[in-house]
Amino acid sequence: MPVIVVIGAQWGDEGKGKVVDLLAEEADVVTRFSGGDNAGHTVVNRYGKFKLHLVPSGIFSPRATAIIGNGAVINPGVLLDEIGQLNQRGVDTSRLFISDRAHLVMPYHVLLDGLEEESRGGKAIGTTRKGIGPAFADKIARLGIRMSDLLDKEVLRERLHFIIGGKNAILTKVYEVSPLSEDDIYNQYCRYSEQLSPYIRETTIMLEEALKRKELVLLEGAQGPLLDPDFGTYPYATSSSPLAGGGCLGAGLGPTQINQVLGVFKAYCTRVGSGPMPTELKDEIGHLIRERAHEYGTTTGRPRRCGWFDAVAARFSTRINGFTRAAITRLDTLDTLPRLKICVGYKLDGESIDYFPASATALDRCQPVYEELAGWQVPTSDIPQFDQLPPLARQYITRLEELVACPVSLISVGMRREQTIWKMAIL
Ligand code: IMP
């Protein structure tokens, strides 16, 4: 059985929660490998509708072990709330495990995320203010506190004591706000330690054993490649890698073990937060897409910026992730539109280009070059098979498939599991 990496292929929110939930029925292990509770994965299944932030979307599978990998950062309070809510609604979380190498989001991270955003003024990134950027910055600066530290109260005390002085100096001297109490944080995190310790494991061994048994392993990403700190619209980016390659680093296995890379694309584009988005529609059509698909952030409730499918960005995403299969979600959102556009190139300062520029200011100056297609104007939400889709919808998918340069495996036409059209098997 293979290892499949499932990632969003644009700016996040492509609906990979649903795709992972579907595939997880067959999976033995599902590992979430990046991000933190900045992510929001919506899943609708027999238990109801859920908005997951940290727990892998595979938690609903009766057989899968769900792992939060070392590549994620974890706010323990948020995770415990999420576990509590899942349990209350009858979802078993006894097969949930957390890597002992995963870093903790601390109260000063959350506070600093907000203060840093305020200080950026008009250049604010539009972060989710969940402390994710500061937590990853501390990981790289070797000032992080990890799940393994939480298991040893003396180590926890020592690490916190070592770090808090510097954080309080920044809070009081740079931002002129009150310092945080080391004792309060320590006591709170000791309580978290007691609640979370049953879940904390050396999870790379669990993965290795699953691979030896030839089980199906899913690696679940968060956000999308266009928010990657290397390849995304830097500095309007997130702080951990949403790329397929991030799956190896954030779960703890090697590139030779990956068999399939599934890129989940929305049939159009959305983005939350600041930063360039060449195909953004600030008109009636953008509004219509947002309201029809309820394009509001799962984590922050912010309206998502909506626009036409950007094939330049999509092709770039395929290049840097090596997609072997694509999923196209929310096709049904476009059902009512008489005309559709796909961005097939950019004009940058009067020159035609077909690549995604590194510079966010250059990308901001890019004017989309569109190809127009007729809309199908037929409801697609209840169509079970590809050949039953209206010809114009098939034509749209086929054109996306050509532009993205990757075979489409599945098409999602609604939130429910059964609203999925399989075009080509993944397994
Ligand atoms: P941060 O990850 O909270 O630091 O936010 C950095 C950027 O990533 C902001 O533009 C956020 O809106 C965006 N972002 C973070 N998480 C998600 C997500 O799950 N979906 C879409 N955008 C996200």
Side-chain angles (χ1 to χ4, degrees):
M1 285 288 243
V3 177
I4 307 177
V5 185
V6 185
I7 61 165
Q10 297 148 314
W11 276 285
D13 309 317
E14 295 87 354
K16 62 192 161 299
K18 170 181 167 174
V19 175
V20 172
D21 178 57
L22 262 179
L23 297 176
E25 281 291 292
E26 308 277 319
D28 301 284
V29 181
V30 182
T31 299
R32 162 79 183 273
F33 67 77
S34 67
D37 64 301
N38 50 351
H41 297 168
T42 307
V43 176
V44 180
N45 57 27
R46 63 184 174 280
Y47 295 100
K49 183 174 179 179
F50 295 84
K51 291 179 176 184
L52 301 174
H53 300 286
L54 285 164
V55 173
S57 308
I59 193 71
F60 304 100
S61 157
R63 54 188 276 188
T65 295
I67 297 174
I68 307 177
N70 56 284
V73 289
I74 299 170
N75 182 325
V78 173
L79 177 58
L80 285 164
D81 276 355
E82 207 166 300
I83 294 172
Q85 281 171 29
L86 285 164
N87 292 156
Q88 252 177 20
R89 294 173 67 186
V91 181
D92 175 19
T93 52
S94 62
R95 278 169 293 102
L96 173 68
F97 298 99
I98 306 166
S99 163
D100 50 7
R101 291 182 169 86
H103 280 245
L104 294 163
V105 174
M106 304 297 291
Y108 42 82
H109 292 141
V110 181
L111 199 54
L112 284 167
D113 198 356
L115 292 166
E116 286 167 10
E117 275 290 87
E118 298 299 333
S119 73
R120 287 183 192 116
K123 299 236 182 276
I125 294 163
T127 74
T128 56
R129 300 189 179 216
K130 301 289 180 189
I132 308 306
F136 278 112
D138 272 357
K139 171 177 175 174
I140 302 306
R142 288 142 307 173
L143 287 173
I145 301 181
R146 306 200 294 177
M147 281 291 166
S148 55
D149 303 327
L150 201 60
L151 292 177
D152 183 331
K153 289 183 183 161
E154 259 179 55
V155 174
L156 176 65
R157 174 59 105 175
E158 199 187 303
R159 283 296 287 163
L160 185 59
H161 184 70
F162 177 68
I163 293 160
I164 194 81
K167 298 297 172 194
N168 275 338
I170 296 171
L171 289 173
T172 54
K173 293 183 186 147
V174 178
Y175 294 108
E176 298 175 340
V177 297
S178 307
L180 293 173
S181 152
E182 178 184 326
D183 283 344
D184 285 357
I185 300 176
Y186 175 71
N187 291 332
Q188 188 187 24
Y189 277 65
C190 283
R191 286 194 294 277
Y192 290 150
S193 164
E194 270 141 42
Q195 291 166 285
L196 286 179
S197 56
Y199 299 97
I200 303 172
R201 291 289 156 87
E202 211 301 8
T203 51
T204 63
I205 296 174
M206 300 169 77
L207 276 178
E208 184 186 37
E209 282 169 359
L211 294 180
K212 272 192 205 146
R213 290 193 296 266
K214 305 213 176 306
E215 292 179 345
L216 174 60
V217 174
L218 300 182
L219 304 185
E220 177 185 8
Q223 290 85 42
L226 305 178
L227 288 173
D228 181 70
D230 281 277
F231 293 102
T233 53
Y234 191 87
Y236 301 98
T238 191
S239 313
S240 62
S241 180
L243 301 184
C248 294
L249 300 174
L253 45 73
T256 50
Q257 280 151 323
I258 310 284
N259 304 87
Q260 293 274 16
V261 181
L262 174 65
V264 183
F265 292 87
K266 220 175 248 190
Y268 46 94
C269 275
T270 61
R271 158 162 218 175
V272 210
S274 319
M277 179 184 174
T279 63
E280 182 173 10
L281 289 165
K282 292 183 178 159
D283 60 4
E284 225 5 71
I285 300 177
H287 176 76
L288 191 140
I289 292 177
R290 180 160 43 252
E291 295 314 310
R292 214 176 129 72
H294 195 71
E295 291 288 4
Y296 290 86
T298 314
T299 302
T300 57
R302 290 177 291 176
R304 294 183 185 137
R305 300 156 63 191
C306 300
W308 297 119
F309 190 89
D310 185 337
V312 180
R315 185 66 197 265
F316 175 59
S317 186
T318 302
R319 188 189 316 143
I320 59 178
N321 289 294
F323 295 133
T324 57
R325 295 279 190 281
I328 306 287
T329 61
R330 302 212 168 181
L331 183 73
D332 55 302
T333 301
L334 305 179
D335 283 353
T336 58
L337 296 176
R339 307 284 308 162
L340 302 172
K341 291 185 186 179
I342 301 175
C343 168
V344 290
Y346 298 144
K347 277 252 177 208
L348 174 59
D349 304 332
E351 199 188 314
S352 296
I353 61 167
D354 61 359
Y355 61 89
F356 195 74
S359 155
T361 50
L363 186 64
D364 207 30
R365 293 200 307 280
C366 282
Q367 296 298 316
V369 176
Y370 286 121
E371 189 174 286
E372 276 201 44
L373 285 88
W376 46 94
Q377 297 189 279
V378 175
T380 55
S381 286
D382 294 317
I383 296 180
Q385 283 180 13
F386 186 69
D387 55 12
Q388 290 170 8
L389 278 173
L392 289 170
R394 272 185 278 148
Q395 192 185 325
Y396 186 71
I397 294 289
T398 307
R399 186 65 184 129
L400 295 191
E401 197 166 39
E402 275 167 17
L403 290 164
V404 166
C406 171
V408 170
S409 184
L410 67 102
I411 300 152
S412 173
V413 287
M415 299 282 271
R416 296 195 315 275
R417 280 183 181 184
E418 58 276 19
Q419 292 176 303
T420 307
I421 299 171
W422 285 94
K423 187 166 177 288
M424 180 193 267
I426 297 177
L427 298 174

